[in-house]
Amino acid sequence: MGTASRTVLVEGFQGYEAAFDTTVSRLAALEGLAPAEGDELAEAAAAWGRQPGDVPSRLELPLRPHQPAGEAVRLILRALLEAILANREGVVEDLDTEFLHDLRVAVRRTRSALRQLGGVLPSDEVAHLEDEFRWLASVTGTCRDLDVFRLAVESYLRTGSGLAAALGPFLAHLAQHRAAAHRELVRALAGRRFSRLVQRLEALLASPPAGGGEPIGAVAGRAIQRAHARLLRAGQRVGHGPDAALLHRVRIEGKRLRYLLEFFASLYPPGRIGPLVARLKALQDALGGFHDAVVHTRRLLAMAEEMGTAGLGSPATFLAMGRLASWLEAQGEAHRQQFEEVFQAFSSAPSRRLRVLLQQEEGPS
């Protein structure tokens, strides 16, 4: 943790210039205060030993098509491990929910890399790391789900429902669940299992890649083709009904393809991968909205049962929770309908462009 820092921000108003100058002069004369230099975000980050943008949310890896695959995959995993470790303190200190979000994205990308590219690494190490990162995804999941649930409830309250007071007991109950989940998360990130996971991955990354082997360009091309085919097959299985399991499978396959495209964007001509990733992001947004609505509705009903058993909340609270459940279901249906449009758009022109791009050569050029 960095050194504690306090900032006094003084803003002037038109017509009070003299009073503003006097106030600033008097504050500057106080012991321990000095005029700030630079922007406030940079100063706040510096207090934590950081700087804005030092942990980019997007992977930008300068890979080369003929680079040995084992070396390139190690570079990908190294960048992801750095993102996990860089966000861990913010998660533990509970500074902002985005720290947990970014940590979980790095964990998901790591699992995807191990699953889809692990063939160029020692198989026994990959199997062990897959198990451990599955555990890490699980222990970080509940707290993040509750963060997203709270954001969904806040969105509902902004619709002008007028139910903020009635939902007060439910929000308090939700906050208790979230606090308990965060305590469990902190214990996991401070525990031996997490430390051993990091040490095991660092040892793998430090080990020299095996000599020979395929170039990453060929490995990347095949992996992307396979992921693309799996996504299309999964999407074509979805009918017009709200089959949560099938839609979740499409969501997972979409993420796996997107992560591969992000890993290997530098292997392809500039501007070719970005539009495809944007289409996949739209697909994920629709599927994520549907998935969240399903999960939130189930959690809301479970919490209503808990509160009823414990005698928490008034009839007005439970009526408000029912209206919230109806709103969540409507949101989920809207996202499901959006998926049909987005998938149709992705499976036509963008998919053809991806196939052409991958067929131009035996791998990236």
Side-chain angles (χ1 to χ4, degrees), residues 337-351:
Q337 293 179 7
Q338 183 186 11
F339 157 75
E340 294 179 7
E341 300 174 6
V342 175
F343 182 77
Q344 181 62 35
F346 173 79
S347 60
S348 53
S351 280

Side-chain angles (χ1 to χ4, degrees), residues 247-258:
L247 289 170
H248 186 54
R249 172 50 54 187
V250 178
R251 181 176 179 234
I252 290 173
E253 298 299 349
K255 284 183 178 181
R256 288 173 178 166
L257 175 58
R258 177 184 172 184

Side-chain angles (χ1 to χ4, degrees), residues 56-358:
S57 58
R58 290 196 314 168
L59 282 178
E60 296 181 355
L61 300 169
L63 304 178
R64 306 180 308 277
H66 299 292
Q67 190 171 13
E71 176 185 317
V73 172
R74 280 172 170 81
L75 289 175
I76 293 170
L77 292 173
R78 167 62 64 187
L80 295 171
L81 177 59
E82 289 174 355
I84 290 170
L85 296 178
N87 284 288
R88 177 178 56 174
E89 186 173 12
V91 172
V92 171
E93 297 293 332
D94 209 12
L95 299 177
D96 190 287
T97 59
E98 287 304 300
F99 284 101
L100 179 55
H101 170 262
D102 289 351
L103 185 147
R104 280 183 52 78
V105 169
V107 169
R108 286 199 302 268
R109 285 172 168 165
T110 301
R111 295 184 66 197
S112 184
L114 291 169
R115 180 185 180 91
Q116 300 185 92
L117 306 170
V120 303
L121 301 171
S123 58
D124 56 337
E125 287 298 312
V126 170
H128 174 78
L129 288 170
E130 282 189 303
D131 287 341
E132 291 304 286
F133 272 96
R134 186 181 304 111
W135 162 79
L136 184 57
S138 176
V139 298
T140 58
T142 301
C143 191
R144 178 58 187 169
D145 287 346
L146 290 168
D147 285 341
V148 176
F149 189 17
R150 173 65 195 232
L151 292 174
V153 176
E154 290 174 356
S155 295
Y156 173 63
L157 293 176
R158 285 195 295 272
T159 64
S161 64
L163 296 175
L167 287 173
F170 160 68
L171 291 172
H173 192 63
L174 175 58
Q176 290 176 354
H177 273 259
R178 200 272 178 186
H182 183 258
R183 288 193 295 270
E184 290 295 321
L185 173 56
V186 170
R187 279 194 285 270
L189 294 179
R192 291 183 180 180
R193 188 170 183 177
F194 179 78
S195 297
R196 287 196 298 264
L197 182 158
V198 172
Q199 292 167 3
R200 189 86 174 244
L201 180 54
E202 286 179 333
L204 172 63
L205 299 179
S207 66
E214 284 190 284
I216 191 59
V219 172
R222 283 201 309 274
I224 291 171
Q225 285 179 324
R226 288 195 295 264
H228 178 241
R230 288 196 305 268
L231 172 58
L232 292 182
R233 285 197 301 270
Q236 289 161 0
R237 292 192 193 103
V238 177
H240 297 290
D243 190 317
L246 288 178
L247 289 170
H248 186 54
R249 172 50 54 187
V250 178
R251 181 176 179 234
I252 290 173
E253 298 299 349
K255 284 183 178 181
R256 288 173 178 166
L257 175 58
R258 177 184 172 184
Y259 293 156
L260 286 175
L261 291 173
E262 290 172 338
F263 293 158
F264 300 125
S266 62
L267 300 178
Y268 294 93
R272 302 298 293 276
I273 297 298
L276 297 170
V277 171
R279 291 277 190 167
L280 283 169
K281 185 178 184 302
L283 184 66
Q284 285 181 247
D285 287 345
L287 290 167
F290 175 80
H291 175 76
D292 288 345
V294 171
V295 172
H296 297 337
T297 301
R298 291 173 181 168
R299 191 179 296 277
L300 178 63
L301 296 176
M303 287 188 173
E305 186 173 347
E306 291 174 5
M307 292 174 64
T309 300
L312 303 174
S314 64
T317 297
F318 292 104
L319 286 172
M321 293 173 71
R323 292 177 61 179
L324 173 59
S326 297
W327 180 82
L328 288 170
E329 290 173 351
Q331 292 291 302
E333 176 58 20
H335 284 297
R336 189 197 62 76
Q337 293 179 7
Q338 183 186 11
F339 157 75
E340 294 179 7
E341 300 174 6
V342 175
F343 182 77
Q344 181 62 35
F346 173 79
S347 60
S348 53
S351 280
R352 286 196 297 271
R353 287 197 294 271
L354 179 57
R355 284 192 290 268
V356 169
L357 181 64
L358 295 175

